[in-house]
Amino acid sequence: MDFSICRVNQSDLDELTAVEAVCFPKEEAATREALAARLDAFGNWFFAAKDENGKIIGMIDGMATDEASIADEMFEDASLHKPNGRVQTVFGLDVLPQWRHRGVAGALMDAFVEAAKQAGREKVTLTCKKRLIGMYEHFGFRLIGQARSEHGGAQWFDM
């Protein structure tokens, strides 16, 4: 593997923001301020993939909740994180385009799901666009149906 998986902190904020901006359309990408608030509230639920030079090439993050699925307000209000929540959410799985199809997303997801198991979470949930359903099924998720989320004006599916 020519990358490694690690946890990150506030000192990585600029790189995380840049990766998020590349991987999501402007209306869906978390802002620098939102990512900073998330790092403060649930920074131990941020994992990054770094290349051999220590540059962030991908990331995954999400809060814990007792809700069955992700609500739009969770993306904007990091205080909704419940440290002992039963459900671990995935807010974003970002991999820079030049690093896609090289195992980065799978490695990030594996680390995240393993941490959720170790934390005693009952399940991991996420929302995705229709074109990504197959990828998440490959990671072991199952399609539940259309999400109530309208984040960024897009159509999302619960998995």
Side-chain angles (χ1 to χ4, degrees):
M1 235 181 351
D2 48 353
F3 62 89
S4 60
I5 305 298
C6 62
R7 289 201 159 113
V8 296
N9 56 46
Q10 286 287 351
S11 68
D12 298 300
L13 181 58
D14 289 336
E15 273 192 274
L16 295 170
T17 302
V19 169
E20 179 84 355
V22 168
C23 294
F24 282 96
K26 183 180 178 186
E27 53 279 346
E28 297 170 19
T31 63
R32 186 178 196 284
E33 294 75 21
L35 289 171
R38 291 178 190 178
L39 281 164
D40 282 342
F42 49 92
N44 57 327
W45 289 99
F46 272 79
F47 292 77
K50 292 186 177 184
D51 69 12
E52 294 169 335
N53 298 315
K55 181 177 172 3
I56 294 176
I57 58 168
M59 67 179 209
I60 188 170
D61 75 292
M63 70 169 53
T65 183
D66 287 325
E67 301 297 321
S69 61
I70 298 171
D72 286 346
E73 57 269 15
M74 291 177 184
F75 292 112
E76 301 303 323
D77 187 355
S79 73
L80 295 174
H81 171 64
K82 294 188 174 191
N84 296 315
R86 295 178 292 111
V87 177
Q88 182 63 50
T89 67
V90 175
F91 281 175
L93 175 58
D94 306 5
V95 177
L96 292 176
Q98 63 270 32
W99 282 89
R100 292 179 185 162
H101 309 289
R102 294 171 64 179
V104 177
L108 284 164
M109 186 62 76
D110 287 349
F112 198 79
V113 169
E114 182 58 33
K117 286 178 186 174
Q118 290 180 7
R121 305 285 193 255
E122 293 174 15
K123 72 176 186 173
V124 177
T125 189
L126 58 86
T127 60
C128 70
K129 293 181 178 169
K130 188 174 187 174
R131 65 181 171 79
L132 296 173
I133 291 171
M135 179 185 79
Y136 287 111
E137 286 176 335
H138 176 76
F139 293 150
F141 288 82
R142 64 179 173 77
L143 177 63
I144 296 169
Q146 187 169 338
R148 59 185 169 140
S149 176
E150 297 176 351
H151 181 70
Q155 182 182 42
W156 300 92
F157 292 86
D158 284 328
M159 298 197 73

